Amino acid sequence: METILQGYGIRKETLMELQKGSFTYSLEGVNSIKSRDFFLGGHALFTVSNPQGSYYTYKIQRPEGRSPRYFVNLLTGPDNESSYTYLGILDPGSFDFRLTRASRLGIDTAPVKVLRWALTIFRNGNRPPAGYAVQHQGKCCRCGRTLTTPESIDRGIGPDCYERGLS
Ligand SMILES: [Zn+2]
């Protein structure tokens, strides 16, 4: 283990902290979403977390065809493929989220507030404050396939989808 870690240039003091088990990890930089384009990929799956470790996972999908609306869902159950609750729609132009008649949660509920907070950050070209994280799940934001290359993971979009761009 020591050889492998040192091979990656990790300092000896850090290695000792790891071995002592006192190393504190940081979410910042791990699968962090870099731009608002991610949310408009059509298959955006991401988690927003705060310094206390609370988090919500959202899915923003564009239906087939040229729909101007993106549907936002919240993970609310044990099955991370199917346990989603409908929240509302995202306007891709203004980047505004709003509830619709079918929305299952109110505007003042924590999941909706957290979502709007996160979207506002990216709409304004900012990054989350220290301790907060907005992370993708290692899936391409456009096609939903698992990302494998370091570059793709960093971008949150696979190479083919990146070449095609958002359309
Ligand atoms: Zn893709």
Side-chain angles (χ1 to χ4, degrees):
M1 179 177 176
E2 187 167 335
T3 314
I4 294 169
L5 289 173
Q6 285 179 342
Y8 281 95
I10 292 175
R11 290 182 304 117
K12 200 171 182 190
E13 301 82 62
T14 308
L15 185 62
M16 288 167 70
E17 286 175 5
L18 278 168
Q19 287 167 339
K20 279 191 295 185
S22 63
F23 183 76
T24 52
Y25 72 95
S26 168
L27 290 174
E28 287 157 61
V30 179
N31 286 14
S32 63
I33 294 167
K34 308 288 195 302
S35 86
R36 60 177 262 166
D37 287 348
F38 177 89
F39 303 96
L40 303 177
H43 279 90
L45 179 63
F46 59 97
T47 296
V48 181
S49 59
N50 70 14
Q52 288 74 44
S54 298
Y55 62 91
Y56 293 111
T57 295
Y58 305 90
K59 195 187 264 187
I60 302 182
Q61 288 176 299
R62 178 172 56 184
E64 296 298 320
R66 306 293 296 178
S67 172
R69 294 164 158 196
Y70 285 63
F71 294 104
V72 183
N73 289 277
L74 171 74
L75 181 64
T76 50
D79 185 339
N80 62 16
E81 295 294 330
S82 63
S83 301
Y84 283 87
T85 297
Y86 174 72
L87 290 187
I89 59 172
L90 176 68
D91 182 312
S94 65
F95 219 56
D96 282 330
F97 168 85
R98 61 185 173 84
L99 302 178
T100 66
R101 198 171 289 184
S103 296
R104 307 281 299 278
L105 293 176
I107 202 78
D108 286 328
T109 59
V112 171
K113 283 196 212 169
V114 169
L115 173 77
R116 296 176 78 203
W117 173 82
L119 291 175
T120 300
I121 288 172
F122 287 90
R123 178 177 60 202
N124 297 334
N126 295 324
R127 296 288 173 83
Y132 292 81
V134 182
Q135 300 165 285
H136 68 74
Q137 314 259 329
K139 307 280 187 188
C140 176
C141 68
R142 182 165 168 169
C143 70
R145 291 200 199 106
T146 300
L147 300 168
T148 52
T149 72
E151 193 178 33
S152 298
I153 293 168
D154 192 51
R155 287 176 177 149
I157 185 169
D160 293 344
C161 292
Y162 181 73
E163 288 299 318
R164 272 179 301 203
L166 298 172
S167 61

